[in-house]
Amino acid sequence: MFNGRTTLRSVVVGVAVAALIAPACAAHADPSPEEIQAQIDKGNNEVELIVEQYNKVNGDLAATQTALTSLEADLVPLQSRMDAAHADADSVAVNAYKTGGGNLRTMSLVLGAGSSDAFFDRVGTLEQISRSQQQDLAAYTSAKTTFDAQKQRLNETLAAQNRQKAELETRKKQIEGDIARLDEMQRKADAAAKAAAAAAKKPAPTTNTNTNPGAPPKVNGAAGKAVAYAWAQRGKQYVWGAAGPDTFDCSGLTMMAWKAAGVTLPHNAAQQYAKVRHISRSQLQPGDLVFYNNLGHVGIYIGDNQIIHAPNSRTVVKVSPIDIDTLYGYGRP
């Protein structure tokens, strides 16, 4: 749930990022590349949590819309029966008017019976029509009362979810601004590292390289299909809220990877963790999901202590060591 604590965290991150980007005053030395990288990592962790909240509210909205549509569909047959009952009642009223009144018409039907059996048949038929109409009316009234209550509840839920989405959308520019500042910090860190390497006459270290050597892991079954899908997405850009085909965020990648294997997962790391079977690290097999950052990030295990994941907007879908971030847990779809 999106709350004030999350808002405060993101504001603190934004302030911390801005403070690092601003020119250093005379009393303080410029931050080291390591310090900048630490701030980048912290900022990306905060952004990931916001992204996953955005994905969750989108999923919740879709579920609520589906429930409303289903509720409307459930009322259709009851409405049809009620319309038919009203049509029958209208027909009886018209006939009664034409023949001089409902009671006279009913009496003539009964008295016109040629035998006692016919008499009771006609009385029974009239009673059956009346009971059927009453039952239809009672069923419709009960169903309509339940429908109205459920629809009101769903509409209230929908309104709350739309407000939550609007809040997240409003913060989208702020998040993108934070990411832009992180990118600027990274460029400064790279420049500092290159300058230090040049001074020491050593090759400068590179950051965020997409080193994905070798052929795709050989994995059988559904897990193999999930791994193969994720492997094929390497090099594609991270975009928050995206689930392919050309861009992904972390839970969008794992969702689509397992969709290729015939398994449905939500577009949210926390909801994926709630749905999968939890396992230990020693039980990990290719295709299993690895969760990080208090359920703010997820990747897909490919063996040899490596995952494929969509890390953040500064890089692309790539292979990384499993211990790339603070581990939360492991799950098998």
Side-chain angles (χ1 to χ4, degrees):
M1 178 64 68
F2 180 76
N3 54 39
R5 182 180 297 177
T6 302
T7 303
L8 179 60
R9 285 202 306 266
S10 60
V11 168
V12 170
V13 171
V15 171
V17 170
L20 281 174
I21 294 173
C25 64
H28 299 282
D30 289 336
S32 68
E34 292 76 15
E35 290 170 337
I36 293 176
Q37 186 61 54
Q39 288 296 323
I40 289 171
D41 293 340
K42 183 176 183 296
N44 272 315
N45 287 343
E46 296 289 343
V47 168
E48 279 183 338
L49 292 171
I50 300 299
V51 169
E52 289 307 299
Q53 290 164 5
Y54 179 85
N55 291 338
K56 181 180 183 300
V57 76
N58 270 339
D60 291 345
L61 274 168
T64 304
Q65 291 282 14
T66 299
L68 276 168
T69 301
S70 177
L71 189 64
E72 295 280 2
D74 289 343
L75 195 65
V76 170
L78 288 170
Q79 183 67 59
S80 298
R81 288 176 59 187
M82 194 60 197
D83 291 344
H86 278 301
D88 290 342
D90 290 344
S91 178
V92 169
V94 170
N95 289 334
Y97 176 79
K98 289 181 178 179
T99 55
N103 290 335
L104 292 175
R105 175 59 175 164
T106 300
M107 186 62 69
S108 68
L109 285 172
V110 172
L111 295 178
S115 65
S116 60
D117 289 340
F119 173 83
F120 286 113
D121 285 345
R122 292 190 180 188
V123 170
T125 298
L126 289 170
E127 290 177 349
Q128 185 175 3
I129 291 173
S130 176
R131 284 197 302 271
S132 176
Q133 291 177 344
Q134 289 173 0
Q135 289 169 356
D136 285 343
L137 178 61
Y140 177 81
T141 301
S142 175
K144 188 66 167 59
T145 300
T146 302
F147 168 87
D148 288 341
Q150 290 180 342
K151 186 172 183 180
Q152 180 178 355
R153 177 179 58 81
L154 287 171
N155 280 331
E156 290 171 355
T157 301
L158 193 68
Q161 289 168 347
N162 274 318
R163 287 193 299 271
Q164 187 179 3
K165 184 176 180 179
E167 290 171 1
L168 290 168
E169 289 284 8
T170 299
R171 295 193 56 224
K172 182 177 180 180
K173 291 182 180 179
Q174 177 186 345
I175 294 169
E176 290 172 341
D178 291 341
I179 291 172
R181 286 189 287 272
L182 291 171
D183 288 339
E184 178 62 22
M185 289 170 65
Q186 183 63 67
R187 284 190 287 273
K188 288 187 175 183
D190 288 345
K194 288 178 181 178
K201 297 183 179 179
K202 294 179 180 180
T206 57
T207 58
N208 299 322
T209 55
N210 184 31
T211 55
N212 300 312
K218 293 182 180 179
V219 185
N220 295 325
K225 293 179 181 178
V227 169
Y229 180 94
W231 186 271
Q233 312 315 310
R234 292 169 304 138
K236 292 187 177 179
Q237 189 66 40
Y238 176 101
V239 172
W240 74 291
D246 300 318
T247 56
F248 295 88
D249 65 12
C250 67
S251 58
L253 176 65
T254 52
M255 177 183 73
M256 295 305 294
W258 272 100
K259 183 178 180 180
V263 176
T264 300
L265 292 174
H267 190 175
N268 175 265
Q271 290 178 323
Q272 288 181 9
Y273 186 76
K275 187 169 182 177
V276 299
R277 180 164 63 91
H278 300 164
I279 58 175
S280 66
R281 181 159 180 166
S282 63
Q283 296 173 306
L284 272 176
Q285 296 177 4
D288 292 339
L289 301 183
V290 184
F291 297 88
Y292 300 88
N293 186 25
N294 198 29
L295 296 178
H297 187 63
V298 60
I300 184 166
Y301 187 65
I302 61 173
D304 196 25
N305 285 321
Q306 291 184 313
I307 62 166
I308 296 178
H309 65 146
N312 53 64
S313 64
R314 294 160 38 253
T315 184
V316 294
V317 176
K318 65 177 182 176
V319 174
S320 295
I322 191 173
D323 293 304
I324 194 72
D325 204 346
T326 304
L327 288 159
Y328 183 90
Y330 316 89
R332 182 166 298 159

